[in-house]
Amino acid sequence: MGTIETFYSRIFVIAFVLNLIHVFTFAEADTRCYDNLGCYDSGIFHALPQDPSFVRTQYTGSCRGHINDVIIDAADNETDWRIIIDNSSLDTSLETVFIIHGFTDTATAQWVARMRDAFLTKGDYNVFTVDWKHAAQFPYEQAVANSFLVAKQLSMFLEYLERIHGLSPDRVHLVGHSLGAQIAGNAGGDLKTSHVARISGLDPAEPLFSYLNDSMRLDNKDAIFVDVIHTDGERFSGFHGYGSLRAQGHVDFYPNGGTKQPGCNDPNSPFGIMSGKPLQQAIACSHARAIDLYTASLESNHQCVFSAHPCSSWEDYDQGICDVCPQGRCPSMGYGASKAFLGNYYLSTSAEEPFCGMSYVVEVKTAEGQGHSYGRLLMTLNGTNGMTNVTELNRVNHHYHDNESDKHVITVSSDIGDVISASLEFRKGRGLSALGTSSDLKIASISISRFYGNERLLQTTSFVTSVLLLDSMPSKFWHQKIPTGSDVLGNDPTRNELL
């Protein structure tokens, strides 16, 4: 039972469910039409888009050297739009990106500005942010209904830019987070005579599209390229209102299995509820991580790449058995994603920016007579160039027994050089599952290998020691790097000591 984040997350979901109960109980199905924006059926959730004068969708355009140079109200007429754009610095011959926020969010959020600036640093783009904050609030089913109207407004704006200003839709990239990904999908699918080049869904509400037209069919190589990053598959599963289908693109990335991102379990984490971030973002740490990962892939000062691997499941990847790249190359998650790859891909990331780095396969074996412990293991690696931050070996509490192996892939963002030692910390879990369990964990051996190539870096055996929490200071479990060609180091008990 656990962290502050979990507590607030449950409140968030309870409020969400109460909203659904209200809708199913009191609302009636209906149809509503808005001039050139078309008609909308209330459908299963019995909610209809609110009036455009309430929704107040706004597009803010920027280009290099001209931030927020264009501010356009979607409800205004084309004559007003043209005056504003003709007097701006936008160059419609350039590639154009639209960034679309999600539920309870706003285009004035810090992450939107950071992503905008990252695009402008990466290349010579026009970047529009789509602000529909007035229509993106509770109750959720109302925000869902409003998202269809916002998508229609966006598709009409894209058609206007093509017709009047010569913007080629096949040079347009739509990036949407959460419910904003639905807006991206539906806006891209609503274009009548052409289609956008790419849609990037960042942990989208499910599924990514309410419908697929010919330009969006995943088996059509000339279709819109759709890449999706899944980071919080459990939070709202079954509550999005589109059925049980998951979001899907040409290439789907599942960092850390697509749920429970590193650093999001601990209320003392810089990404947790104590971070000072807005409440919705803090309690939805894993949900917001898709934004962080995509932005990190854009920022030019980050030299590492989010290489992902094909695998039958996250469980297999986490065991370190999917470290190969077919034909010598693997897709890059985020900005560098390519239409050359199709299917599901997995990768491990670190808990801190820039989230990419060196990956290791770590295997810990419990000792004879261990008994029953319940909790999580955390690790610090020490190298010739420094040490890593504390890294979660497993992000969920685990039941440990004697003679048991616990194996995971971890990623650290610090360049520590050659690994020379490691420290372990055991954090006992809480709640009913922890009743009667031990507060320490007896370790018999530990092995650390590189994820790529499985080069063994550390292996220590032939002793038993405990890893536990003492007065909030973890005991340290020390290991020395194996010399080249050596199978086992540590038979001398005097060299296997607790720091």
Side-chain angles (χ1 to χ4, degrees), residues 37 55-62 68-77 81 84-85 90 96-101 107 127-133 147-161 174 183 187:
L37 293 173
V55 174
R56 287 178 276 174
T57 304
Q58 192 172 73
Y59 312 117
T60 300
S62 302
N68 300 339
D69 192 41
V70 171
I71 299 177
I72 286 179
D73 293 324
D76 285 350
N77 58 57
W81 293 357
I84 295 170
I85 292 177
L90 292 182
T96 301
V97 179
F98 286 80
I99 302 172
I100 312 165
H101 69 79
V127 180
F128 282 93
T129 61
V130 180
D131 199 336
W132 61 293
K133 61 178 177 292
S147 74
F148 286 96
L149 185 140
V150 175
K152 180 63 177 179
Q153 290 177 317
L154 179 54
S155 69
M156 291 180 64
F157 185 57
L158 289 169
E159 289 171 346
Y160 159 81
L161 291 174
L174 307 179
I183 294 173

Side-chain angles (χ1 to χ4, degrees), residues 445-465:
S445 68
I446 181 172
S447 175
I448 302 175
S449 305
R450 293 192 190 278
F451 177 66
Y452 304 105
N454 291 318
E455 175 193 357
R456 187 168 55 194
L457 304 177
L458 291 171
Q459 180 167 316
T460 308
T461 58
S462 303
F463 63 88
V464 175
T465 189

Side-chain angles (χ1 to χ4, degrees), residues 373-395:
S373 294
Y374 176 72
R376 291 188 293 142
L377 270 175
L378 297 94
M379 170 174 285
T380 302
L381 298 179
N382 307 293
T384 53
N385 295 336
M387 61 188 298
T388 68
N389 291 329
V390 176
T391 300
E392 296 166 323
L393 184 59
N394 43 14
R395 298 187 308 281

Side-chain angles (χ1 to χ4, degrees), residues 248-295:
Q248 185 178 39
H250 290 92
V251 56
D252 287 71
F253 296 98
Y254 292 89
N256 311 294
T259 185
K260 292 185 174 66
Q261 298 301 304
C264 286
N265 291 315
D266 189 344
N268 295 315
S269 160
F271 303 100
I273 194 69
M274 305 301 289
S275 64
K277 291 184 177 182
L279 178 63
Q280 192 271 350
Q281 187 177 357
I283 66 174
C285 173
S286 292
H287 187 45
R289 183 61 59 82
I291 296 169
D292 299 328
L293 294 174
Y294 196 91
T295 303

